[in-house]
Amino acid sequence: MSSSEALQASHQANIQDQFSRQAEIFADAPELHNEDVLALLVNAADPGPTDAALDIACGPGTVCIAMARHARRSVGLDATEAMLAQARRLAAEAGVANVEWRQGDVYALPFEDACFDIVTCRFAFHHFERPADALREMARVCVPGGRILVCDAVASDDPRKAEAFNRMELLRDPSTVAFRPLATLLDLFAREGLPQPEVRFFQIPAEREKMVTRSFPADDDYDGLRAMITDSVAGDAMGMGARFEDGTVLLAYPSVVLVSVKPGAA
């Protein structure tokens, strides 16, 4: 096995470990089911009754289920079976039947060309070692005239703050590769020949103790993670607007929804 193959295998092992352990927490996390944020994504994707939608790295299926309420068919794909088990549970509880769940690789989607009207990915690009390849696959399976949507948190344009943010996130979740600045995400679309995306901004609020207790940090370093978050208040070191309030630290993940229409006739 080459060194690059070994690194890729190690990252995939981290993905399986982190998301198998986080599956139930993710499924029950209120911020993932925030109706305002889901409405923002659904409105941006604009699903219609004849549309087929695909959500890659779907996790517990929240976006896929939300799309299914408006689309003809909604498919969720994830690498982790534990996440898909939670997705099936949530879909059953919601009484949504026009959903399908597939286990697969975001770099080699198990679908033919141009078979989905909408292709989405929420809060997963920072886990991708090859984000351009994932976006290329999203574009491949999208019909001409279809919508390609990427949602993720973004790192600060200040390199020092971006580095501090990613250092904290890599400790908090070792399956993280990197949160990228907005300009980097926009450049991915341009390099794949996709039109400049429409950009919608929002924030995901967070609180230090909930972040710490819901995480599985590297080497179980909960104290180190707590200290990183606390220390970031000085000078807003991570670009997350961290502040002390009521004995804890409040902060927020700056996030974007990017929507591009694949060139060609619908």
Side-chain angles (χ1 to χ4, degrees):
M1 181 183 292
S2 68
S3 58
S4 62
E5 289 173 333
L7 286 172
Q8 184 174 353
S10 175
H11 180 63
Q12 289 303 315
N14 275 332
I15 290 280
Q16 291 292 333
D17 174 65
Q18 282 289 319
F19 287 99
S20 293
R21 291 198 283 172
Q22 293 178 23
E24 189 170 347
I25 293 172
F26 264 46
D28 294 331
E31 59 269 25
L32 291 182
H33 306 287
N34 182 291
E35 292 297 332
D36 290 338
V37 175
L38 284 174
L40 178 65
L41 267 67
V42 171
N43 289 339
D46 192 25
T50 64
D51 286 337
L54 169 67
D55 187 43
I56 72 165
C58 69
T62 311
V63 172
C64 185
I65 293 167
M67 294 294 177
R69 299 184 190 280
H70 305 272
R72 171 178 59 85
R73 171 183 177 231
S74 188
V75 180
L77 176 138
D78 202 89
T80 308
E81 177 55 38
M83 282 292 187
L84 294 174
Q86 293 297 323
R88 294 185 191 99
R89 175 179 68 83
L90 291 177
E93 290 175 358
V96 174
N98 59 328
V99 290
E100 303 168 33
W101 308 106
R102 297 283 294 272
Q103 189 169 12
D105 183 352
V106 298
Y107 306 125
L109 296 175
F111 308 106
E112 299 196 358
D113 295 355
C115 57
F116 291 99
D117 303 282
I118 299 165
V119 185
T120 61
C121 182
R122 180 181 73 154
F123 290 124
F125 260 60
H126 60 277
H127 293 292
F128 296 165
E129 295 178 299
R130 295 152 42 204
D133 290 346
L135 185 61
R136 187 176 304 121
E137 277 291 276
M138 292 174 71
R140 179 185 67 79
V141 301
C142 186
V143 301
R147 280 87 70 201
I148 298 165
L149 182 153
V150 172
C151 172
D152 207 356
V154 290
S156 171
D157 292 331
D158 181 331
R160 291 172 300 178
K161 292 186 178 186
E163 192 277 333
F165 175 37
N166 277 310
R167 189 164 11 99
M168 182 275 291
E169 279 295 310
L170 187 59
L171 174 61
R172 190 187 69 81
D173 179 354
S175 67
T176 298
V177 175
F179 286 88
R180 285 97 180 177
L182 175 59
T184 300
L185 295 179
L186 293 175
D187 184 59
L188 288 176
F189 281 80
R191 284 192 283 143
E192 294 308 319
L194 294 168
Q196 182 84 352
E198 177 188 343
V199 182
R200 306 185 187 196
F201 296 95
F202 68 102
Q203 292 192 328
I204 298 291
E207 184 271 327
R208 181 186 60 199
E209 295 311 308
K210 287 182 180 178
M211 285 177 65
V212 171
T213 57
R214 291 178 178 176
S215 300
F216 299 93
D219 301 321
D220 292 329
D221 189 5
Y222 291 95
D223 290 338
L225 176 58
R226 183 176 287 105
M228 270 191 185
I229 296 169
T230 302
D231 293 345
S232 75
V233 173
D236 188 22
M238 299 191 299
M240 301 178 74
R243 66 190 188 278
F244 291 116
E245 188 171 310
D246 296 329
T248 187
V249 175
L250 301 182
L251 59 167
Y253 286 80
S255 304
V256 294
V257 175
L258 308 176
V259 185
S260 181
V261 176
K262 182 176 175 178

